[in-house]
Amino acid sequence: MRAATERQDPKERERVEAVLGVLKKQAPLTVKQEKFCSYACVERFLRAEGDGVKKVAKHLRAVLSWRESIGADHLIADEFHGELADGMAYVAGHDDEARPVMVFRIKQDYLKLRSQKSFLRLLVFTLEVAVSSMARNVDQFVLLFDASYFRSPKSFLHLFMGTLKVISDYYPGRLHKAFVIDPPTLFSCLWKGVRPFVELSAVTAVVSSLDFEDSLEDGYFTSLLRTASFRFDPAAAKVGSCASSRFSFTVSHLNSLKPWYLSTTATATRSAVVPTSSPSLIGASPLNARSFSFASPAARSTSRVGIAGAAISRSIPSTPSSAPPCRPRQPQPRTPMPSFFQSPAALFSFKKEGRLSRAERERESFLPFLRFYRRPYDESVYRANMRPPLSGLISIVSHHDQLKQRRNKIQSLPALTAPTKEQRPPN
């Protein structure tokens, strides 16, 4: 702690000490409160509230009283055994910047069965687990809120806005990014209406998981057996071709993007001799003879003989690999920029080239956290990564330790000997 304070600027150190001095004048701080009001915590409050010393001290005092009322220092995992078993709220891991990533999968029926205070305690417990897992140089976390379990947009908006208010009021400067994934219908319209009045709306994004179904950014997702079975394995495939009377299927290792291609055989493209029992089929190839047999008499009577007398066969579309190369399109004349004198509205609505929209920027910002959303939940791993006392009273004791404890108990008991004749009771 001393090394951290020496690196601070003298002005920042004076402001931190001034805030701590005001807090101690109001009421003496307990040991846990002094541990909570560290230099890094006071600096974070100063960045969020500004340079007002009294304002920051008042905010810190309100946070300390709120933590004492809710019992934030006494929350343990044993209180939320049902929620942890279902994976409703947990820390999925850490991103590239060592920030903890929290995933919330709250169901809509959970609020009907439990009170609002129960959800608040679960939220604070998850936030405390994320804060306790931070490194020394990290002071922010990421929130992924899976809203696919909600059917009512109004109820989810109420829950989500309450979550953001708790974070902004009692964990200022902690939220790096918040993502709402697969919200219910009409949630986007409601969010646009309340967005200007939400303090953390600038770091909140709404995304859809359907936009990332074809994404291969997640290494774990691509390593699954189901996804790996659909990929082409060059070692298992036999190089060569397989031809029939109509098509040819060829496998090659030269093209990794499309190692196979389908094309028509040479015999199928040539004009073949058909029985002369049907004059309308003279000159037709075996590929379209069946179609001509079901055609109307007017369609069958059309001549299909070319100028030189050779039969013209109908061309059959093949795969893009066997199709002839397309001619390059002629460059189209560029649309001139609208003039203010012609249409002022068109000028202001003109979109600059290369500038992404808000939805596209939100999708790109969600890509680094997609793997945490798809990663399966494991309660044992999550409990093992908790630091005491948050991990609860459940401890894992090996069998060797249990035997050792039993042996010590047996040795501590007094030795039992057979009674002598004098000690025997009279008959």
Side-chain angles (χ1 to χ4, degrees):
M1 183 64 67
R2 293 180 180 178
T5 55
E6 291 177 357
R7 298 176 186 175
Q8 296 176 350
D9 296 338
K11 294 182 178 180
E12 294 182 359
R13 195 183 313 168
E14 290 178 0
R15 284 181 292 180
V16 171
E17 292 178 356
V19 172
L20 293 176
V22 173
L23 277 176
K24 293 178 181 179
K25 285 182 180 180
Q26 295 176 356
L29 301 177
T30 62
V31 178
K32 293 184 178 180
Q33 290 178 349
E34 288 183 355
K35 185 178 179 181
F36 176 79
C37 297
S38 60
Y39 276 83
C41 177
V42 177
E43 281 184 357
R44 192 174 63 255
F45 274 76
L46 285 171
R47 289 195 302 266
E49 296 292 340
D51 298 334
V53 176
K54 293 183 179 180
K55 187 177 181 180
V56 173
K58 184 179 180 180
H59 191 182
L60 265 172
R61 178 58 65 181
V63 171
L64 291 176
S65 60
W66 174 80
R67 291 178 63 88
E68 185 178 357
S69 64
I70 200 176
D73 298 328
H74 305 285
L75 295 175
I76 57 176
D78 300 338
E79 182 181 349
F80 314 99
H81 59 90
E83 289 83 351
L84 296 182
D86 296 338
M88 290 187 178
Y90 61 94
V91 179
H94 295 75
D95 63 353
D96 298 336
E97 301 295 333
R99 289 184 290 258
V101 181
M102 296 178 295
V103 179
F104 283 82
R105 289 190 169 96
I106 306 297
K107 299 180 181 180
Q108 185 172 349
D109 299 336
Y110 176 78
L111 300 178
K112 298 179 181 179
L113 302 176
R114 300 295 182 90
S115 62
Q116 190 72 21
K117 187 177 180 180
S118 301
F119 171 73
L120 180 60
R121 293 179 65 85
L122 175 63
L123 172 63
V124 174
F125 171 76
T126 310
L127 294 175
E128 292 295 324
V129 172
V131 171
S132 64
S133 64
M134 290 181 181
R136 291 185 177 181
N137 57 343
V138 179
D139 59 351
Q140 288 184 327
F141 48 71
V142 181
L143 175 63
L144 306 182
F145 215 116
D146 188 1
S148 60
Y149 296 96
F150 277 79
R151 299 176 299 274
S152 173
K154 186 178 179 180
S155 59
F156 174 73
L157 180 64
H158 178 72
L159 178 67
F160 183 66
M161 289 186 63
T163 304
L164 293 182
K165 183 172 178 57
V166 170
I167 296 176
S168 63
D169 291 346
Y170 307 110
Y171 295 87
R174 288 289 194 185
L175 184 61
H176 171 70
K177 199 73 177 178
F179 295 95
V180 179
I181 308 169
D182 296 337
T185 310
L186 301 179
F187 172 79
S188 300
C189 301
L190 298 178
W191 176 247
K192 288 181 181 179
V194 301
R195 188 186 184 99
F197 307 99
V198 180
E199 185 177 354
L200 298 177
S201 61
V203 294
T204 305
V206 181
V207 296
S208 175
S209 61
L210 299 178
D211 299 336
F212 304 95
E213 286 188 349
D214 299 334
S215 176
L216 299 179
E217 296 291 335
D218 190 1
Y220 179 83
F221 181 74
T222 55
S223 64
L224 294 176
L225 296 177
R226 180 175 177 83
T227 56
S229 61
F230 290 104
R231 289 180 289 179
F232 175 73
D233 188 5
K238 296 181 180 180
V239 180
S241 61
C242 178
S244 65
S245 60
R246 301 179 64 177
F247 299 102
S248 174
F249 184 82
T250 307
V251 179
S252 174
H253 293 311
L254 301 178
N255 191 354
S256 60
L257 296 179
K258 188 176 182 182
W260 59 269
Y261 59 91
L262 183 67
S263 61
T264 57
T265 58
T267 58
T269 56
R270 298 175 186 175
S271 60
V273 179
V274 296
T276 57
S277 59
S278 179
S280 61
L281 297 180
I282 297 178
S285 64
L287 300 179
N288 50 18
R290 178 179 176 85
S291 300
F292 268 86
S293 62
F294 291 97
S296 61
R300 292 198 299 265
S301 61
T302 56
S303 176
R304 300 188 54 83
V305 181
I307 301 176
I312 302 175
S313 62
R314 179 180 295 182
S315 61
I316 298 177
S318 59
T319 56
S321 60
S322 61
C326 300
R327 296 181 181 179
R329 295 182 177 180
Q330 297 295 334
Q332 299 292 337
R334 187 174 181 180
T335 304
M337 292 185 62
S339 174
F340 178 80
F341 299 100
Q342 296 177 357
S343 177
L347 177 65
F348 290 107
S349 63
F350 182 73
K351 183 180 178 181
K352 294 183 179 180
E353 295 182 359
R355 188 174 181 180
L356 300 177
S357 62
R358 173 181 290 180
E360 294 174 349
R361 292 196 304 267
E362 291 177 351
R363 288 193 213 102
E364 288 187 357
S365 62
F366 180 67
L367 273 177
F369 308 102
L370 179 62
R371 53 194 175 100
F372 298 102
Y373 174 72
R374 289 177 171 174
R375 182 177 298 173
Y377 170 70
D378 192 348
E379 183 185 359
S380 59
V381 175
Y382 178 47
R383 282 179 174 269
N385 293 331
M386 293 181 188
R387 293 184 179 181
L390 295 170
S391 56
L393 304 176
I394 300 176
S395 60
I396 301 176
V397 182
S398 61
H399 183 66
H400 177 72
D401 295 339
Q402 292 180 359
L403 293 178
K404 191 174 181 180
Q405 291 177 3
R406 291 179 183 177
R407 209 172 293 146
N408 295 335
K409 289 182 179 179
I410 293 174
Q411 292 177 0
S412 61
L413 294 175
L416 299 177
T417 57
T420 59
K421 294 183 179 179
E422 299 177 354
Q423 295 176 350
R424 291 178 182 176
N427 294 333

